[in-house]
Structures are given as C-alpha cells and as structure tokens.
C-alpha cells in the first residue's frame, strides 16, 4: 500500500513538472522567439529593387515607382572598399548580363573608321581668264552647276584685245613685205588663247570683235564662283573652280595606336547613311606621312568611283577595313557594350564573385576597335567576368552607393539630380558636386556647343512627337536630326580625346536616329529612342549645350528594365507611354 502511494506521488510530481513546462516553459520560449523577431523587425530595412537609394524601416510601396519594397541587405560584410552589391531582383529587372574575358585571333577581323567625302584634288581645275577686261555676260548661274569641256562660260570686253585685233588687220596687209611682224601679231593673239579659226576669221572679215568668249577647258561641277557679271578682271585671274566628281576622296582619321595595322592597297568597304543597304569597294590610296599635332591622327585616303553621283563632298562615311597582319597573333578583347566613356577615361565593370552579384569598377586602356569589340591593353585580364549588358545601370548603382563610378573616380556620395522633392536624403556638399561635374565635362569651343545645341533641339522635337504618339512627325524629326548632325564640324574639337569621344558617340546617334527615321511603327521608334537617348545623355554630359538639361527616367520603360530620356523642363512627360502613363518617371540628373 505504501509502495502504491509512492508511485502515485512520483506520478503526480512528474505530471506537475510537465504541466509547469507546458504553461511557462513554452511561453518563455515563445516570448523569446517573439522578442527575437521583434528585434529583427526593428533592424530590418526595406528598399526598392529599381531605386536602391530608398531605405525605409517598414515594408510598403516605393514612393517613386510604386513597386513593392523588398528586404535590404543587412550588411556588406566581406566586400572590399571599391566593391558593391546588387540584389538578385535588381539584376533580373535591369537584365544585367556578363561575359568572360578571353583572347581572340585578330586575323580576318575588321576595323571601322569614320570619315568624310572630299573632292578629288587631282581632278580639280581653276578656270582663268587669259586677258584682262570686263565681264559682259557670265553664263554660269550658280554653284553646283555642271559644265562640259568647250562650253561657253563667259564673254569679256577687253580693250587690249580690241587693240590687238586692229594690229592684226593692219599687219595682214603687210604680211608679204613684213612677214615677221605679221607672225608676231598672230602669236600674240594665240598667247591669249584665241584659236586659229578665230584669228583667221578676224583677218578674213577685217572686222574687230568687241566681246570675246571664254570656254571651259575641263568638264565637271562648279564648286565656287569667284567673279560676278560686270566685274573687271585681270589677265590670269581665276573665274571659277571646277571639280570633276567622277571620282572622290574618302578621308578617314587614323589614331596613333592604329597606324601600324594599315597599309597602302588594303581593300576597303565604304558605307553611308544615304544608302544604308549598299557597300562600295575601294582601296587605300594614301596614308599621310605627317601626324596632325592637334588631333594626333593621320589621314587615310580612299579613292571612290562616283560616276553615278552617289557621293557628295561633305558626306559622312564609314570604312570597314581588314586589319593588316600584326605581330600579335592574339589580343585581349571585350564587347563595345561593356565600355563606358567619360571623355578622359574608359571604364568597365567586373563581377568579382561568380556566385554573388558583387561588382567593381575598373579603368581600362583601349587599343583598336575590331568589329564590335575593343582591344584592351590594360585594366582587365583573361578570365575576368565583365558586365556587357546593363552597364549603365550598374554604374548608376555604384554612384548611389558612393563607390567608384564612371563620373566619380574617387568614390563618395554624389548628387544624382533633383531628387529632394521625392523624399530622398543626400548628404553632399556643393564642392563635391562641382568636383563630379568637373570630371564629366570636356572643354570644347562655344561654336561646337552651338552646333550641338541645334541637334539637341531636334532630339527634343523627336521626343515631343513620341509623347503625342505621332509616328510621322517622329520620323521627320529623326531625319532633321541626322541632317543637322552632319553639319557638326568635328574639326572644332582640337583635343584628341574630345575628337575620339565625339566620333564614337556620333556614330551611335546616327545609327539610332536612322532606325527611327525608317519606320512608322511607334513601338519600334520608342525601342530605338531608348538607345538614342542613352548616347545623347553621354553627349550632353561630355560636351554640354549651353543650357540646363534634365535627365529623366521611367522604371517601367523597356519592359520594366527602365529607360532614360532628356528634357528641357523638370516636369516629367513620358515619351515611352504617352497618354497611357504620361507622368510616370523622375528626374535623375540635372546637367548644367
């Protein structure tokens, strides 16, 4: 009986302990877990995948684009000072792509050069007057008029020629008694380019001609009128400049580091925007032996057949040339899309960790452009993983996180635009902002900026046409942009870096604008507009247009990858969606 009581007591004790644990132990653990979650919740910050500068203590919507906020990375432990990290969501939305750097054989690859059509100086002629007098009639009305050899160009009244004719009439009556005098008078008229028939006619009719004709000595196109009807001219004075345009020169600028890959006789394929689907064959005819000290280039010349009047002097052309064999059989190359230019530096972004989205900016030194790739001399190595798509987005993330970036080589927080009205906090001084602007702008002449401003105004017209969803006006504005772009004189860029930068950007702008001009599909026009805008942003940043320009961004553009454009006003009017989402976007940067 006693043993039974002991068993009962032990059972009650165990039941009590178990009940106590259930009532208090579980509660304590639950409270501990609850407190842990509460602490974690307090420390957790939330950000936007498209706008990583947004940091909020609670989940919700992004105040810029309205997207759901996601948990921010709690720390950047393990990253070096120049490295930064993107979220996987941001990587996907921005369509960031990378490739492994490797070496390639340059044999069979091509190099592209940009240049202009010029008159063939060997075929040019200057039409002169062989006697003095007054131009009674000028038969050439305008520059560009075509003339043929033997065509009457002008008639001239010449007092000295009038007197010489009288001498001939007198000497003709004495040719039997004074043959030497007669012969001398005839030779005098021949020196003034009178023909035998003209001289014989004067002698036979015994009449003096008051006005004498001037005939074209060559066939070609009048490129310059040097006189007007009624002018008094001297013997030997130029009247007209005439160019034979059956052949023309295509002059291309070759930089110092490219000289060794070209040689006389190389085959060339020339293209022009005027005939986008045609290629014209030629050969390297001349390579200037003297380097231009200002541009640090030499001129490479190609003679082109122009019997069909395809090429016009002043027209921009592109040459595709097979590189001459170089001592290096292999070179390190990266895609052109991986390179960002500042006007002073070339940079690219390396993915430093193959398993995580960790990036770092690298300054690189470029060699020749070979097809759609650049030769890299310094900065990256074989095996590096380099960003080839979404480079601009990665650079923007670097700037926002205060890391080294394209326009901020020393790192540190920078002002990315008028973002204060969106509730963003920027701890940046005016000195820091000025330093950033100094890094991104090249010094060029005001005349160049004014020419560029005309092109920029056409870009704005194009953008406004997209806002109105007017595809016809968009095409017209793109064509007008191309016409004004061809008038920008890159000879105004004395600095070699500025010259090189302009040629690169001009080529991309021409390509995008041409694509816009050739389609009436508004969706296709907007697809090309995002590329045009990207290059135009770089142009305005590097060269300036003497006015304030707003860089605006829509996170929903380009299928939620985000797209930029330029505007003259701070108010956002979206060209990618028009009336459907007219005010979607924000000001990302203000370029003074």
């Amino acid at each position: 009986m006693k043993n039974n009581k002991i068993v009962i007591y032990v059972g009650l004790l165990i039941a009590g302990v178990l009940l106590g644990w259930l009532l208090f132990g579980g509660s304590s653990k639950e409270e501990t877990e609850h407190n842990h979650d509460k602490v974690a919740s307090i420390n957790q910050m939330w950000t936007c995948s498209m706008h990583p500068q947004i940091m909020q203590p609670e989940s919700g919507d992004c105040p810029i684009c309205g997207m759901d906020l996601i948990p921010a990375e709690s720390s950047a432990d393990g990253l070096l000072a120049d490295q930064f990290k993107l979220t996987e969501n941001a990587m996907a939305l921005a369509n960031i792509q990378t490739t492994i750097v490797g070496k390639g054989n340059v044999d069979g690859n091509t190099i592209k050069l940009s240049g202009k059509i010029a008159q063939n100086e060997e075929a040019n002629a200057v039409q002169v007057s062989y006697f003095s007098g007054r131009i009674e009639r000028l038969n050439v009305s305008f520059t560009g008029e075509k003339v043929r050899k033997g065509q009457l160009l002008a008639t001239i009244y010449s007092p000295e020629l009038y007197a010489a004719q009288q001498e001939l009439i007198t000497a003709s009556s004495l040719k039997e008694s004074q043959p030497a005098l007669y012969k001398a008078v005839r030779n005098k008229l021949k020196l003034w380019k009178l023909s035998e028939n003209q001289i014989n006619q004067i002698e036979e009719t015994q009449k003096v001609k008051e006005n004498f004709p001037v005939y074209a000595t060559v066939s070609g196109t009048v490129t310059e009128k040097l006189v007007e009807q009624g002018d008094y001219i001297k013997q030997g004075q130029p009247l007209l400049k005439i160019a034979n345009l059956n052949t023309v020169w295509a002059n291309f600028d070759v930089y110092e580091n490219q000289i060794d890959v070209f040689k006389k006789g190389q085959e060339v394929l020339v293209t022009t925007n005027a005939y986008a689907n045609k290629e014209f064959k030629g050969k390297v005819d001349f390579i200037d032996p003297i380097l231009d000290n200002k541009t640090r280039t030499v001129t490479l010349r190609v003679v082109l057949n122009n019997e069909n009047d395809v090429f016009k002097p002043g027209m921009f052309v592109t040459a595709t040339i097979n590189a001459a064999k170089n001592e290096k059989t292999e070179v390190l190359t990266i895609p052109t899309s991986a390179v960002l230019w500042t006007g002073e530096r070339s940079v690219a972004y390396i993915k430093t960790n193959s398993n995580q989205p960790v990036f770092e900016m690298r300054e690189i030194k470029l060699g020749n452009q070979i097809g759609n790739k650049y030769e890299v001399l310094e900065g990256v190595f074989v095996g590096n993983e380099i960003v080839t798509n979404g480079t601009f987005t990665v650079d923007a993330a670097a700037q926002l996180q205060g890391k080294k970036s394209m326009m901020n080589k020393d790192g540190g927080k920078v002002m990315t635009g008028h973002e204060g009205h969106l509730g963003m906090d920027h701890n940046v001084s005016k000195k820091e902002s000025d330093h950033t602007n100094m890094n991104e702008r090249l010094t060029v002449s005001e005349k160049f900026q004014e020419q560029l401003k005309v092109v920029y105004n056409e870009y704005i017209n194009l953008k406004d046409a997209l806002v109105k969803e007017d595809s016809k006006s968009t095409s017209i504005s793109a064509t007008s942009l191309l016409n004004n772009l061809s008038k920008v004189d890159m000879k105004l860029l004395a600095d070699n870096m500025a010259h090189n930068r302009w040629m690169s950007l001009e080529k991309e702008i021409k390509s995008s604008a041409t694509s816009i001009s050739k389609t009436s599909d508004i969706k296709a026009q907007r697809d090309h507009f995002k590329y045009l805008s990207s290059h135009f942003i770089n142009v305005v940043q590097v060269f300036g247009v003497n006015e304030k320009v707003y860089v605006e961004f829509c996170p929903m553009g380009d299928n939620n990858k985000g797209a930029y454009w330029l505007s003259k006003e701070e108010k956002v009017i979206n060209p990618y969606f028009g009336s459907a989402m007219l005010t979607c976007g924000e000001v990302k940067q203000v370029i003074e």
Side-chain angles (χ1 to χ4, degrees), residues 227-341:
V227 293
E228 295 294 339
Q229 188 167 297
D231 287 353
Y232 283 88
I233 58 173
K234 296 180 181 179
Q235 183 178 4
Q237 181 175 337
L239 305 177
L240 304 166
K241 288 185 177 181
I242 300 175
N244 187 333
L245 298 179
N246 286 335
T247 60
V248 293
W249 286 351
N251 293 324
F252 301 94
D253 291 327
V254 176
Y255 291 95
E256 286 180 274
N257 61 352
Q258 296 177 316
I259 294 174
D260 65 330
V261 299
F262 298 108
K263 64 180 180 180
K264 188 175 180 180
Q266 277 178 289
E267 291 188 355
V268 180
L269 289 178
V270 176
T271 57
T272 174
N273 284 334
Y275 307 94
N277 298 322
K278 289 186 178 181
E279 291 183 333
F280 304 89
K281 292 183 179 180
K283 289 186 178 181
V284 176
D285 178 69
F286 173 77
I287 299 176
D288 198 332
I290 300 175
L291 186 78
D292 189 314
N293 287 327
K294 292 183 178 180
T295 62
R296 309 304 301 172
T297 62
V298 298
T299 299
L300 180 146
R301 187 169 71 211
V302 177
V303 179
L304 297 171
N305 187 310
N306 195 39
E307 291 183 355
N308 295 327
D309 201 26
V310 172
F311 298 104
K312 317 292 183 185
M315 181 183 287
F316 285 102
V317 288
T318 300
T320 303
I321 304 177
N322 289 325
K325 189 174 181 180
N326 198 296
E327 292 180 358
K328 296 179 291 183
T329 57
E330 287 189 337
V331 294
L332 194 68
T333 59
I334 61 174
T336 55
S337 61
V339 180
L340 295 176
W341 302 77

Side-chain angles (χ1 to χ4, degrees), residues 10 78 151 184 248 459 567 592:
V10 171
Q151 179 180 329
V248 293
Y459 167 90
S567 176
E592 301 291 342

Side-chain angles (χ1 to χ4, degrees), residues 123-383:
N124 287 354
V126 178
Q127 186 73 48
V128 301
S129 173
Y130 296 100
F131 42 84
S132 59
R134 182 182 67 245
I135 300 176
E136 294 294 304
R137 182 174 179 80
L138 185 62
N139 293 333
V140 176
S141 303
F142 54 89
T143 299
E145 185 174 346
K146 291 186 177 181
V147 298
R148 65 185 184 280
K149 186 176 181 179
Q151 179 180 329
L152 178 63
L153 299 179
T155 54
I156 299 175
Y157 168 73
S158 174
E160 61 183 13
L161 193 55
Y162 188 91
Q165 292 178 80
Q166 290 179 323
E167 290 178 8
L168 175 64
I169 293 172
T170 303
S172 65
S173 62
L174 302 173
K175 62 181 176 181
E176 297 295 337
S177 59
Q178 299 186 40
L181 175 63
Y182 171 72
K183 186 176 181 179
V185 173
R186 285 185 68 93
N187 288 337
K188 182 179 180 180
L189 291 172
K190 288 180 181 179
L191 291 174
W192 282 330
K193 296 299 180 181
L194 269 68
S195 66
E196 286 283 352
N197 289 336
Q198 287 176 313
I199 296 172
N200 290 336
Q201 187 178 11
I202 295 169
E203 186 177 342
E204 290 171 1
T205 60
Q206 296 290 297
K207 291 182 179 180
V208 176
K209 288 187 176 182
E210 292 186 358
N211 299 324
F212 264 83
V214 175
Y215 297 103
T217 57
V218 295
S219 298
T221 302
V222 176
T223 58
E224 188 175 356
K225 287 175 61 180
L226 302 173
V227 293
E228 295 294 339
Q229 188 167 297
D231 287 353
Y232 283 88
I233 58 173
K234 296 180 181 179
Q235 183 178 4
Q237 181 175 337
L239 305 177
L240 304 166
K241 288 185 177 181
I242 300 175
N244 187 333
L245 298 179
N246 286 335
T247 60
V248 293
W249 286 351
N251 293 324
F252 301 94
D253 291 327
V254 176
Y255 291 95
E256 286 180 274
N257 61 352
Q258 296 177 316
I259 294 174
D260 65 330
V261 299
F262 298 108
K263 64 180 180 180
K264 188 175 180 180
Q266 277 178 289
E267 291 188 355
V268 180
L269 289 178
V270 176
T271 57
T272 174
N273 284 334
Y275 307 94
N277 298 322
K278 289 186 178 181
E279 291 183 333
F280 304 89
K281 292 183 179 180
K283 289 186 178 181
V284 176
D285 178 69
F286 173 77
I287 299 176
D288 198 332
I290 300 175
L291 186 78
D292 189 314
N293 287 327
K294 292 183 178 180
T295 62
R296 309 304 301 172
T297 62
V298 298
T299 299
L300 180 146
R301 187 169 71 211
V302 177
V303 179
L304 297 171
N305 187 310
N306 195 39
E307 291 183 355
N308 295 327
D309 201 26
V310 172
F311 298 104
K312 317 292 183 185
M315 181 183 287
F316 285 102
V317 288
T318 300
T320 303
I321 304 177
N322 289 325
K325 189 174 181 180
N326 198 296
E327 292 180 358
K328 296 179 291 183
T329 57
E330 287 189 337
V331 294
L332 194 68
T333 59
I334 61 174
T336 55
S337 61
V339 180
L340 295 176
W341 302 77
T342 69
E344 297 177 353
R345 301 177 295 129
S346 302
V347 302
Y349 280 91
I350 304 296
K351 188 179 180 187
T352 59
N353 190 321
S354 60
N355 299 319
Q356 296 183 22
V358 177
F359 300 92
E360 179 183 335
M361 189 205 78
R362 293 275 182 88
E363 290 194 25
I364 56 178
K365 182 178 179 182
L366 299 178
N368 298 316
Q369 182 175 353
I370 307 170
N372 61 351
K373 294 184 178 181
Y374 282 113
E375 178 185 0
V376 182
L377 306 179
E378 296 177 6
V380 296
F381 306 96
V382 174

Side-chain angles (χ1 to χ4, degrees), residues 466 471 519-529 559 576:
L466 288 176
S471 61
T519 180
S520 58
D521 183 352
I522 193 73
K523 184 179 183 302
Q525 289 174 334
R526 282 169 169 157
D527 285 340
H528 294 299
F529 180 71
N559 295 321
Y576 293 103

Side-chain angles (χ1 to χ4, degrees), residues 411-449:
K413 292 291 184 182
V414 297
M415 178 71 76
T416 59
H418 283 183
E419 299 171 330
H421 67 285
L422 296 172
M424 302 176 198
D425 182 26
H426 296 280
N427 298 318
V428 60
S429 67
K430 184 178 186 301
K431 183 177 180 181
E432 289 173 324
S433 179
D434 291 343
H435 178 68
T436 302
N437 291 334
M438 179 185 69
N439 285 339
E440 68 181 271
R441 178 62 55 84
L442 289 177
T443 301
V444 297
S445 68
E446 289 187 6
K447 187 174 182 180
F448 180 84
Q449 288 181 319

